[in-house]
Each structure stands twice: as C-alpha cells, then as structure tokens.
Amino acid sequence: MDPCTLQICKTKMFSVSHKTVFVVDHCPYMAESSRQQVECDVMTKSRAQGVIPLAPVSKSLWTCAVECSMEYCRILYDIYPLDKLVNYIVSDSEFHILNSWRQEEQSTHELMSALAAVGPPNPREDPECCSILHGLVAAVESLCKITELQHERRTNLMDTADRVANRGRIICLTNAKRLMAIQQCDLVLVHIYPQGEDTLVSDRPKKEISPLLTSEVHSVRAGRHLATKLNILVQQHFDLASTTITNIPMKEEQHANTSANYDVELLHHRDAHLEFFKSGDLHMAGTSTRENGLKETITLKWCTPRTNSIELHYCTGAYRISPTDVNSRPSSCLTNFLLNGRSVLLEQPRKSGSKVISHMLSSHGGEIFLHVLNSNRSTLEDPPSISEGCGGRVTDYRITDFGEFMRENRLTPVSESLHDPSGKLPAERAKAQLERHTRYWPMIISQTTIFNMQAVVPLANLIVKETLTEEDVLTCQKTVYNLVDMERKNDPLPISTVGSRGKGPKRDEQYRIMWNELETLVKTHAGDTDRHQKVLECIIACRSKPPEEEERKKRGRKREDREDRTEKNGSKDTEDKSWQDSERLKGLLDKEDQESEVIKDSPDSPEPLIKKPRLSTEEVQPPERAKGPVSLLTMWTNRITVANSRKHQEFVGRVSSVNNKFELYQQLKEENG
C-alpha cells in the first residue's frame, strides 16, 4: 500500500470510543441492598423533643449501577455531543435495548425516560431464567450495526467502503460469579458487590486477548466507590483530564455579607493540558493526586479581575467541560455564572514572580468551554528579524555558516542513470548526509570555538564525509598537528567573551576548550569507518603531552598570571609603594628632628647654621629632586611653592632678610647717625 492510500485509510478509521454499549444486569440479585447508608435527616439542624428521626435508607445495586452509568453518559455527552455514541441495554430473562445509534436518541433525558419504563428488578423473579449473556449477545449485535456517521463516510468512499473500520467498547455492570469469553470488542467488566461483603471476583488489568479483543475486570463496592471507578474509566476511555479551579469566591447562604472560597473540579479533553506536558511545567501548574490515587488533577487559580466576553484573547484551543460533581452548590453557581455571559481567567498558582494566565472559562451557545490562552510570544505578531534573534535574546547566530550549510545540502533531481552501487534511494542518501552534517552543528557563534577558526576548516569539511581516503586522513592529521604547533607558540584563539567579565579564560584554558570541542566533533563520526577512528586516535595522542611539555605549560601559566597581576594592579602597587616609602622617609625625618632638638638644647651644641636668603623671582630655581624616595607631602609642597613663586614678585623684606629677620626703618637710623 502506498503512503497516500495509507493516509486516507487512517483518516477514515473510527476509534474504539466511537461506539460504547452499556449492558446493565436487571436480574433479581441486582435488587439486593448496597448496604451503604443514606441519611435522610441530615438537613434538620434542630429537632423537637419526642420526634423520632428518620431511619437511614440504602440504595440497591441496580440503583447504584443506573446512577453511575448515567453520570458516565452525562460527562460523555457534555464533552462529545456529536461523534461519541452510547447504546444502553438492560438484560434479565431477555435483553431490552433502550436506545439506538441515532443522534436524536443520544441524551440522558432519553435514557432516563427509558429506564423509568423498565423499572427496578423484581426480587421474586426466578434467577435461573435471567442471564447477563442475553445483553452481551445483543451488545455484540449492536456493535455490528452502522451509525449515521459511518454511513456518511462509507457513502463518500464509494468503492472503498470496506476501509471504514468498525470498532466499539462494551461496559457490563453486573453481579458476576465467573468470567465469560467475548470476542471482537474491548470488554470492561465491572463487578458490583455490597459493602461489608467479600468479593468473589478479583481485579484483572487490561489484557490483549487477541488483536481485536482486550479485556479487563474491575471489582468495586457499590456506592461512592462505584461512582469514583466509573469517573476514572470515563477519563481513560475518552482521553479526558481533570482541572480543579481553586479560590472561587462565593457568598454564604447564611451570611450574605461574607464570602468563602470553594473549589470545583472539571473534566475536559486532555489536550487542554498539552502546553504543560510540552514544557514540563506540571509542577508549576499545581499537579496533585486525588483521593483515589489513580488520576491527577491540574490546579488553576481563579483570577481577579474577571473579564467580559467582548474582550478578545489569543486562544490556541477550546474544549468542552463537564463538572465532576454536577449537583454540588459550587458547581451549580460556577456554571450559572458562566452561562450568564461572563468569562473567568485562570492563572497558574505561583509562590513568587508575576502571574501567568494560561486558561479562560467562557460559554458559547449555551455550552461552557475551557479556552487555552497562549502564554508565550504570539505567532500572530511579526516574526523577529534573524539579526535580532529569537525573541530578541540571541544575536550571534552563525548566519553565514548556515547559508553555506544549506548550499551543501540542496536537493536536486537525479536521473535514473546515476544509480548508487549501495542500492540506497536518493532520498535516503540525502537524509543520511543531512544526519551526518547535523550531528554536531552549534547554531550560535559564542557556543563554538573550532568553527570560528580557519585552521580547523579542512578537518571539519572532511570528517562529515561518509567515507575517507588516505589523503583525507593525512589532511585531517596535518590539521591536528597545526593546532598543536599553534598551542606550542601560544597563539590566541577566537574565544567569545559574551556574558563574561574581564578578558575571558586563560590561554591554556582556551586550548583545553578547543580540544574538547574538536574531540566531540570527531567522536560523533568515529564509528562510521576505521579511517574516521584514526583521526580520533590522532587527536587523543596529541592531547596527551609529555612531562616536559606540561612543565613548560605550567611555567607559561605562572608567567601569564604574574603579567596579569602586574597589569591589573600596576598603578595600585606603585601608589602603595610610594606611600610606604613616604611613610618611611617621614619617620626618618621625625627621628632626625628629635635628635637635632636634643643636640640644640645641650650645652656643647654648636651654633645653628645661617640660612641663605631667598632669591628673587628670577633667581628662584625649582627644588632639586631629592635623592632616594620622596614623600607625597614633599612632592606636593615643592610643586605648590614653584607654582606660587612664578605668579608674583618676591617680597623685598624676605629677599634681603638675614636669618629670616629684616630690620625696619633703616633709613631713619642712617639719618640720625
């Protein structure tokens, strides 16, 4: 069969869930009590004295089976109102088919009316005259009947009508004593027994009896246990998932001014959680296991403020919903609120960060849908330029290399004369070449070193070939030896420093990164041929350096560290050294001053030296550079002195002073003799 025909067949096949037949046992033993007590007096809060409370009642096995099967059908009709059909059969001394595959008979109202006409089982009827086999035989015959949708597909296919598959499922609710073999269907047998009794039938997991028959057995207590089991089965059979809406504000009936938060669980198609499964964010969405421990529910939080239906949101999907507990007050209030034309946004519960609104509840045409909102960048926006990068985050794509990659892998028509001796088709050879070229191909410049080096180009172009010649191996080995020579000469490498501070990794670390990446590239092709393996062995041999080479590299690293420290801390070290020298000089000067004071105060101390008078402005010379280290204070004082002396004429008294003393009014002394 050619691929086109196979694709047509797949589109016209019906899944097992297209037809579901319920076979409910109506024999006398189904009238037995389930022994689960139902309190009838729970609503009475205050009871007058002397009033005898109402005795609790218990439902029969038949009532439990009918209620739970109707809940199964209700969920199915809510989510799949058109293409999923149910046929309901009651079996006692004969079978009773309550509805057909026609679309107008597919509703819970039709089934409830038919069940009311059947009535409860008669406990006084002879059990030997009743058998569930009557209903099972009728169920198999019902599966053989064609539905309206199948008839439409067969009419469209005309001569290929046999390609429309006929599949179905039978769910049998009975009080079984032993298993029976049924062919050509998916058989789910649910054994119902009263509470307080031991079951005679054990659970059996789903087992493929034949290519067209699978069978499973569930043994369940009547009452809430049966309701939970069928709730799980309807999710498994129709690929449903559960979402729990939390923190729904709702006013209390007793206190109108107060409100409390409630939770409502909804069932829908599992594709509504597809984004969670793709991104792996189920823990962010609040996945939790329910009481039964078999099915999980995704928790979403009621988002305030609410939104009106007139607002437009970018939705990627819309799925019908059905409340798990349809009769509860929170479920009723939520559905009425949505059916009145309101919409509710739902957010993922997060402990920190901004809120992420992922879903929305809204009604259309009297039906409630769970809408999946796109929380990522919308595809309706203008796509980012390739120079900007995806989302504006990455800007260094290997655009030129990718263009060369596309040119090397172009597809062209091939004539029949060009036959490959290996017998591979041209399409297979093209796929194999594309696979070899993409085994290791970094997309970003900053993520690669070897593809930024011109010296590695010969090896990178040859290693992706399907087979290598001896000349190709020699070329690759020559490239490796050139890289070894570059490392010996300590040549720089084109290492990207994007996102890192400083000058990036050391030279030795750069070559280690380069060798690791080169070895990764060659390893992806080493298993192709022995000659590819030779290239890898050459790289490994060149990477294992002799001891003297390692010692030389270690000395080179130490020298680089010293140079880097000198370059980085050069000015700082100079200032520190000058400061230390100035402090040392200052200490020596202070010590000399103290000694000079001691000598001056002693009786044998000589006369102090006469200081030379200060020269005029023209004669002022810059201070001589002191021998040895000079303090920062001395350097600054000398500089200020020289600068000030150039700005004004020196005071005559200071120039003519003797020992910094100048006698005033000398002319008067000369006149008076």
Side-chain angles (χ1 to χ4, degrees):
M1 182 182 297
D2 62 298
C4 182
T5 306
L6 182 61
Q7 182 65 25
I8 294 177
C9 292
K10 288 182 178 180
T11 59
K12 302 305 178 184
M13 291 170 62
F14 288 86
S15 64
V16 176
S17 60
H18 176 60
K19 292 179 177 180
T20 301
V21 181
F22 262 104
V23 180
V24 183
D25 199 343
H26 195 249
C27 295
Y29 44 77
M30 290 295 289
E32 183 181 353
S33 172
S34 65
R35 299 178 188 175
Q36 182 182 14
Q37 302 293 330
V38 179
E39 296 289 343
C40 298
D41 214 17
V42 293
M43 301 303 295
T44 304
K45 295 185 178 179
S46 59
R47 184 183 301 110
Q49 294 183 357
V51 177
I52 301 175
L54 298 176
V57 297
S58 62
K59 301 177 183 178
S60 65
L61 298 180
W62 164 259
T63 303
C64 293
V66 169
E67 287 183 349
C68 296
S69 60
M70 285 297 99
E71 186 69 10
Y72 185 105
C73 296
R74 181 192 64 80
I75 295 174
L76 175 61
Y77 290 146
D78 283 349
I79 299 177
Y80 298 101
L82 297 177
D83 55 345
K84 308 298 182 184
L85 308 178
V86 174
N87 187 213
Y88 209 98
I89 299 177
V90 174
S91 178
D92 42 33
S93 59
E94 58 181 352
F95 62 88
H96 308 274
I97 300 178
L98 304 188
N99 68 332
S100 66
W101 298 120
R102 297 176 59 186
Q103 189 64 45
E104 53 266 23
E105 297 183 18
Q106 297 294 317
S107 67
T108 54
H109 178 73
E110 291 287 336
L111 294 178
M112 292 296 288
S113 300
L115 286 169
V118 172
N122 185 6
R124 291 180 294 275
E125 190 176 356
D126 186 7
E128 298 297 330
C129 299
C130 301
S131 175
I132 192 66
L133 292 178
H134 302 307
L136 291 175
V137 173
V140 174
E141 295 178 353
S142 179
L143 289 178
C144 296
K145 297 178 181 179
I146 189 172
T147 65
E148 296 175 349
L149 190 57
Q150 287 176 323
H151 178 70
E152 180 182 352
R153 295 286 179 87
R154 292 182 66 179
T155 305
N156 294 338
L157 290 177
M158 300 299 290
D159 297 335
T160 57
D162 55 341
R163 293 176 182 168
V164 177
N166 186 24
R167 301 178 177 181
R169 176 185 289 114
I170 296 177
I171 301 178
C172 179
L173 303 181
T174 182
N175 189 294
K177 304 300 181 183
R178 63 181 182 274
L179 297 178
M180 65 292 295
I182 299 178
Q183 301 295 323
Q184 303 298 319
C185 69
D186 183 7
L187 177 62
V188 180
L189 185 61
V190 180
H191 168 61
I192 309 172
Y193 62 96
Q195 296 195 24
E197 289 189 4
D198 294 333
T199 176
L200 301 177
V201 179
S202 60
D203 290 350
R204 297 186 183 181
K206 193 172 184 177
K207 181 180 179 181
E208 184 176 350
I209 299 176
S210 69
L212 298 178
L213 175 65
T214 59
S215 176
E216 56 183 306
V217 179
H218 301 278
S219 184
V220 189
R221 290 187 180 92
R224 61 184 181 90
H225 301 283
L226 179 60
T228 301
K229 173 58 68 175
L230 285 184
N231 183 282
I232 296 172
L233 289 179
V234 72
Q235 295 185 53
Q236 294 176 349
H237 294 166
F238 298 98
D239 207 15
L240 304 182
S242 170
T243 296
T244 300
I245 313 301
T246 63
N247 292 347
I248 301 177
M250 193 178 304
K251 291 185 178 181
E252 294 288 348
E253 292 180 344
Q254 293 83 0
H255 307 283
N257 296 329
T258 61
S259 62
N261 293 334
Y262 292 90
D263 299 345
V264 174
E265 183 182 359
L266 306 176
L267 295 180
H268 51 80
H269 196 275
R270 70 186 306 271
D271 285 349
H273 295 161
L274 193 59
E275 292 298 326
F276 294 148
F277 291 107
K278 286 182 179 179
S279 60
D281 285 343
L282 284 176
H283 65 286
M284 298 299 297
T287 305
S288 60
T289 304
R290 297 181 294 182
E291 294 179 359
N292 49 62
L294 298 178
K295 275 290 182 180
E296 293 181 338
T297 179
I298 301 295
T299 301
L300 295 177
K301 187 178 178 182
W302 176 285
C303 183
T304 305
R306 298 177 298 272
T307 179
N308 295 325
S309 58
I310 58 175
E311 299 180 11
L312 295 179
H313 299 273
Y314 173 46
C315 301
T316 58
Y319 307 92
R320 289 181 174 87
I321 62 99
S322 180
T324 302
D325 190 359
V326 68
N327 294 321
S328 67
R329 180 173 173 266
S331 298
S332 177
C333 292
L334 178 63
T335 53
N336 290 334
F337 178 82
L338 296 172
L339 290 175
N340 288 332
R342 306 299 296 272
S343 299
V344 177
L345 296 176
L346 305 176
E347 61 175 297
Q348 301 177 19
R350 296 196 172 200
K351 295 182 179 179
S352 61
S354 60
K355 63 173 63 175
V356 177
I357 299 176
S358 58
H359 294 77
M360 179 182 70
L361 283 172
S362 183
S363 63
H364 305 285
E367 295 182 89
I368 302 175
F369 291 82
L370 179 65
H371 299 73
V372 181
L373 304 182
N374 184 29
S375 56
N376 300 321
R377 186 164 183 168
S378 173
T379 56
L380 300 178
E381 300 176 8
D382 293 334
S385 172
I386 193 170
S387 60
E388 298 176 359
C390 180
R393 297 184 181 89
V394 181
T395 58
D396 56 342
Y397 289 111
R398 298 171 56 200
I399 301 175
T400 305
D401 295 343
F402 188 69
E404 185 66 27
F405 169 80
M406 290 190 294
R407 280 192 294 270
E408 293 176 356
N409 293 274
R410 285 182 298 180
L411 294 178
T412 57
V414 179
S415 60
E416 297 180 358
S417 58
L418 298 176
H419 179 67
D420 187 13
S422 62
K424 290 185 178 180
L425 296 176
E428 297 298 328
R429 295 201 307 270
K431 291 180 181 178
Q433 176 178 331
L434 188 62
E435 187 272 335
R436 291 194 306 273
H437 280 71
T438 55
R439 287 179 187 175
Y440 182 78
W441 202 93
M443 297 181 61
I444 303 174
I445 296 175
S446 59
Q447 291 180 349
T448 179
T449 301
I450 59 176
F451 289 102
N452 300 331
M453 301 172 58
Q454 196 65 27
V456 189
V457 171
L459 186 147
N461 292 337
L462 293 175
I463 201 67
V464 296
K465 294 174 62 175
E466 186 175 5
T467 57
L468 296 178
T469 62
E470 288 296 336
E471 184 179 356
D472 294 338
V473 175
L474 292 176
T475 303
C476 294
Q477 292 176 345
K478 183 179 178 181
T479 302
V480 176
Y481 298 147
N482 290 337
L483 295 176
V484 174
D485 189 54
M486 289 177 58
E487 185 178 12
R488 185 178 294 108
K489 295 178 181 178
N490 214 14
D491 292 341
L493 295 180
I495 296 291
S496 175
T497 58
V498 176
S500 61
R501 296 182 177 180
K503 299 188 301 182
K506 304 292 183 184
R507 193 66 51 82
D508 190 35
E509 179 68 15
Q510 293 178 9
Y511 276 95
R512 188 188 67 81
I513 295 174
M514 185 272 294
W515 284 115
N516 287 341
E517 186 179 6
L518 185 64
E519 186 174 341
T520 301
L521 171 65
V522 178
K523 272 185 178 180
T524 57
H525 303 276
D528 294 349
T529 61
D530 294 338
R531 290 172 178 170
H532 286 84
Q533 182 66 27
K534 286 183 179 180
V535 179
L536 178 61
E537 293 172 355
C538 176
I539 295 175
I540 296 176
C542 291
R543 291 198 65 179
S544 55
K545 304 180 182 64
E548 57 272 12
E549 182 70 15
E550 289 293 334
E551 186 64 27
R552 187 188 66 81
K553 296 295 294 181
K554 187 181 296 184
R555 290 196 301 269
R557 287 196 297 270
K558 291 181 179 179
R559 183 171 62 254
E560 286 185 0
D561 293 341
R562 287 197 300 270
E563 292 175 355
D564 291 342
R565 285 197 299 268
T566 303
E567 181 180 352
K568 180 179 180 181
N569 303 322
S571 58
K572 184 177 179 180
D573 293 343
T574 304
E575 294 177 0
D576 292 343
K577 186 176 181 182
S578 300
W579 179 259
Q580 294 172 2
D581 293 342
S582 63
E583 290 295 326
R584 190 183 304 109
L585 180 60
K586 184 179 179 182
L588 293 174
L589 294 176
D590 293 341
K591 186 176 181 181
E592 291 177 359
D593 292 341
Q594 294 175 2
E595 292 177 355
S596 62
E597 290 178 0
V598 173
I599 295 173
K600 182 178 179 182
D601 294 338
S602 62
D604 299 332
S605 60
E607 291 294 331
L609 297 176
I610 300 175
K611 296 184 179 180
K612 294 182 180 180
R614 203 175 187 89
L615 302 177
S616 61
T617 306
E618 291 79 4
E619 296 175 346
V620 175
Q621 300 293 333
E624 295 183 359
R625 189 177 301 275
K627 295 180 180 179
V630 181
S631 67
L632 183 61
L633 178 61
T634 304
M635 294 170 58
W636 179 255
T637 303
N638 293 339
R639 179 182 176 185
I640 294 298
T641 302
V642 173
N644 291 338
S645 64
R646 293 174 179 173
K647 294 180 181 179
H648 61 84
Q649 186 175 358
E650 186 59 78
F651 180 50
V652 178
R654 185 180 292 110
V655 173
S656 305
S657 64
V658 178
N659 294 334
N660 286 336
K661 293 181 180 181
F662 181 77
E663 186 177 358
L664 300 177
Y665 311 111
Q666 296 182 8
Q667 69 277 11
L668 296 178
K669 186 177 181 181
E670 293 176 356
E671 292 176 358
N672 297 328

